[in-house]
Amino acid sequence: MASSLRIDGLRAGYGSVRVIHDLSLRVGEGETVALLGTNGNGKSTLMHCIMGVVRPGAGRIVAKLDGIEHDLAGKAPHQIVQLGIALVPEGRHLFPRLTVDENLLLGAHRSDARRRIAENLELCFETFPALAQRRDQLAGSMSGGEQQMLALARALMTAPRILLVDEPSVGLSPLLVAQVIAKIEELKRRFGLTVLMAEQNLAQAIRIADRGYVIVHGRIEFEGASREELAKNDLVKRLYLGL
Amino acid sequence: MEFWLTQAFNGISYGAMLFLLGSGLSLVFGVMRIVNLAHGSYFLLGGYVGLTTVSRTKSFPLALLSGALSVALIGLGMERLFLRRLSRQSLPQVLMTMGFALVFQDLGLLVWGGDPYTLAVPAFLAQSVQAGPVFVQFYRLFIIAVAFAVGIVLWVFLERTRAGASIRATVDDAEMAQGVGINVPLVSAGVFALGAFLAALGGVVGAGFIGVYPGLDFEVLPYAFVVVIVGGLGSLPGVVVGSLLVGLLDNFGKALFPELSYFTLFAPMALILALKPTGLFGKR
């Protein structure tokens, strides 16, 4: 079940605009690691680098799965998904004109997951009962909270080992944010996932994070070895509470 | 009455041919956002290959198959070897497809010469029958049947299969389609080949109907664009409605106001775009 992620000296950007500068971080086996930072600091770019959507300029991204190291930099997104890495993207990015069922089935693109589609679908509907009643509804016609749940369920359909969650709280009411965060924790425990979660909402993120990093302008400015350390840190306070 | 029925029948059968031409263009644009100006060339080349096949083998089904498949391979080569290098650069892409269209035009002239040809269709399709006041040509019925069958197969493929869902997902959100593990470059290549296949199939069918001759490529291209723009880019129901509308408008326009034939085609398009800029069925 061992799965972990290691990033060393990563540099990435778009054209001549450098977004991430020499960034290194670790996500250990079974950990939930929070990546904290306000908008425009490179959180999503980092996620896209891990998924192979953005090609890094330099550095290594290594996923260790069952003792085998896989170098992700240079791999195509579908190959990275195939290894067992799934992304719940910022803004959910469902396929709005496809039904709930179709969104979930497309999540199961990994060959491991394809063999267990029926089983995984059942798990999804058990974990997200609200979706079970909306299987034929178009994803774009659901509420924001339901869409976020569907985005999580879709990632779950790949039967991932490492789950990347990008800003799950965006556009949701505080009550829904709390529900989504609790769901991520539930999924992690239930399926033994290793989770890297980028989030702006500090209070919610540290509810489930084992530890975390603060990213500022594409650099890791602080590493908190525990959630207490994160909550007490001056930089975190300044960024989030304006103190 | 006889005039209206005859023109309506002719318009619908012409629309059926336009459906074969337009569906591929719409699909390619929907998935890859490529405006392919060589799409008319696929129609032309399909017609020529079908013509040669019939003259060599006397087999019409073989002509349909060889025309469509050989041009699908050309489309595949164009996408994999050339257009892929310009991914997401729309202007260079358009210019490249324009270049290909010109090359195909000259290639057609070089291989098949400058004479117009009509593909010899099987005898039973060359018949016609008097149905009430209307003179029904079997070949026009055949075109409608082909378009209908292709439409059904396309619909089932897109709406009811996993590969079809992958294509629709790529239309909706290409980046996220990659993110869930869909091999988007593979989907793109497949769709491009399918688009060329459909256009060339239309070309073989059309060769027994409007013929095949130099300049046909750039003659049908605006029709293909009107069909998909009126219907809404990337929408299959849009292509159905667009091709019927354009087929009927073109036929009635040419019959009633022959001196205004392009006007009766483009004026309604301008009007539809003014009222609904995304086309009748377009979402974006």
Side-chain angles (χ1 to χ4, degrees):
Chain A
M1 287 303 284
S3 55
S4 63
L5 188 67
R6 197 180 82 226
I7 296 172
D8 284 311
L10 187 75
R11 291 183 197 171
Y14 304 92
S16 59
V17 183
R18 177 79 64 79
V19 180
I20 290 177
H21 312 266
D22 289 317
L23 184 148
S24 301
L25 62 77
R26 306 256 178 294
V27 186
E29 183 194 343
E31 274 189 317
T32 299
V33 170
L35 185 64
L36 301 166
T38 46
N39 258 337
N41 280 308
K43 299 193 300 298
S44 293
T45 304
L46 176 62
M47 294 296 194
H48 284 153
C49 283
I50 301 172
M51 290 310 293
V53 177
V54 171
R55 298 241 154 169
R60 295 190 72 201
I61 306 174
V62 178
K64 195 170 174 186
L65 301 159
D66 300 323
I68 302 165
E69 294 203 339
H70 302 271
D71 206 335
L72 302 188
K75 280 197 166 61
H78 66 269
Q79 295 169 317
I80 292 171
V81 172
Q82 185 68 26
L83 289 174
I85 300 169
L87 170 68
V88 182
E90 180 182 2
R92 304 181 279 275
H93 281 269
L94 297 170
F95 304 116
R97 287 183 277 168
L98 271 59
T99 63
V100 168
D101 256 5
E102 287 175 331
N103 269 279
L104 289 175
L105 289 178
L106 286 178
H109 243 280
R110 196 177 159 218
S111 42
D112 267 15
R114 252 189 229 206
R115 277 179 245 119
R116 297 196 307 247
I117 281 185
E119 191 185 319
N120 285 339
L121 261 183
E122 209 167 291
L123 269 177
C124 276
F125 291 132
E126 191 192 315
T127 320
F128 303 98
L131 297 179
Q133 293 140 31
R134 300 177 177 275
R135 298 181 61 160
D136 294 323
Q137 191 173 334
L138 294 186
S141 68
M142 298 198 304
S143 73
E146 287 164 347
Q147 289 195 13
Q148 187 63 57
M149 295 297 183
L150 178 55
L152 282 172
R154 181 178 62 183
L156 200 60
M157 286 296 291
T158 67
R161 310 285 304 277
I162 299 175
L163 184 67
L164 310 174
V165 189
D166 194 2
E167 303 263 2
S169 73
V170 160
L172 299 182
S173 71
L175 185 68
L176 282 171
V177 172
Q179 282 178 14
V180 167
I181 296 285
K183 215 46 146 178
I184 294 170
E185 171 75 356
E186 182 190 330
L187 296 181
K188 178 211 152 173
R189 292 201 179 289
R190 201 160 160 182
F191 301 104
L193 303 175
T194 296
V195 179
L196 175 63
M197 177 172 71
E199 186 50 74
Q200 299 191 43
N201 188 326
L202 170 73
Q204 291 294 342
I206 59 174
R207 271 177 53 206
I208 62 164
D210 296 311
R211 56 189 189 85
Y213 297 87
V214 177
I215 181 171
V216 180
H217 299 318
R219 290 190 173 85
I220 299 293
E221 292 289 341
F222 175 71
E223 182 178 346
S226 66
R227 76 181 69 161
E228 290 73 27
E229 253 188 67
L230 269 182
K232 284 187 199 138
N233 179 258
D234 284 341
L235 180 67
V236 176
K237 282 183 186 163
R238 201 174 72 233
L239 283 175
Y240 285 96
L241 305 170
L243 297 174
Chain B
M1 191 60 196
E2 182 195 332
F3 167 81
W4 294 100
L5 282 174
T6 305
Q7 291 305 329
F9 176 64
N10 288 349
I12 290 168
S13 52
Y14 191 58
M17 191 193 75
L18 292 178
F19 171 77
L20 295 175
L21 179 65
S23 50
L25 186 66
S26 183
L27 209 57
V28 166
F29 183 83
V31 171
M32 305 165 76
R33 307 276 134 183
I34 289 181
V35 175
N36 185 8
L37 295 180
H39 201 73
S41 315
Y42 299 156
F43 185 89
L44 177 79
L45 290 179
Y48 274 138
V49 172
L51 192 77
T52 302
T53 308
V54 163
S55 73
R56 296 265 167 85
T57 67
K58 308 286 176 229
S59 164
F60 183 62
L62 208 61
L64 291 172
L65 208 66
S66 63
L69 283 179
S70 58
V71 175
L73 279 179
I74 291 175
L76 191 67
M78 242 178 94
E79 200 277 331
R80 294 227 77 143
L81 301 176
F82 296 93
L83 288 168
R84 176 150 303 174
R85 295 167 197 276
L86 301 174
S87 151
R88 292 180 200 190
Q89 304 172 49
S90 44
L91 196 58
Q93 278 174 345
V94 173
L95 287 174
M96 181 173 272
T97 62
M98 182 67 199
F100 269 105
L102 294 172
V103 170
F104 289 145
Q105 184 182 41
D106 268 6
L107 221 58
L109 203 59
L110 193 74
V111 177
W112 285 278
D115 296 328
Y117 297 99
T118 301
L119 188 139
V121 303
F124 74 97
L125 286 178
Q127 303 167 44
S128 46
V129 70
Q130 185 91 26
V134 187
F135 207 57
V136 177
Q137 292 165 272
F138 278 16
Y139 194 68
R140 284 183 180 266
L141 278 181
F142 168 74
I143 296 172
I144 296 173
V146 169
F148 197 76
V150 166
I152 297 282
V153 168
L154 266 186
W155 185 83
V156 169
F157 170 64
L158 288 173
E159 298 292 326
R160 291 285 177 267
T161 69
R162 185 188 180 84
S166 301
I167 291 175
R168 283 183 293 132
T170 309
V171 173
D172 264 3
D173 190 335
E175 196 167 275
M176 195 54 220
Q178 287 195 308
V180 298
I182 294 171
N183 187 341
V184 171
L186 188 71
V187 168
S188 300
V191 163
F192 205 86
L194 178 62
F197 179 94
L198 291 168
L201 186 68
V204 183
V205 169
F209 170 39
I210 57 173
V212 51
Y213 46 87
L216 177 68
D217 41 358
F218 286 104
E219 207 176 294
V220 293
L221 190 64
Y223 283 90
F225 275 100
V226 177
V227 163
V228 298
I229 288 169
V230 164
L233 287 156
S235 153
L236 189 64
V239 180
V240 174
V241 173
S243 51
L244 278 176
L245 208 63
V246 171
L248 288 168
L249 275 174
D250 190 59
N251 249 274
F252 279 108
K254 279 180 177 155
L256 295 171
F257 321 102
E259 62 282 6
L260 296 176
S261 65
Y262 263 112
F263 182 81
T264 50
L265 183 62
F266 284 100
M269 177 183 104
L271 190 69
I272 287 171
L273 285 184
L275 296 174
K276 198 164 185 304
T278 54
L280 294 173
F281 288 78
K283 296 289 197 313
R284 284 181 284 232

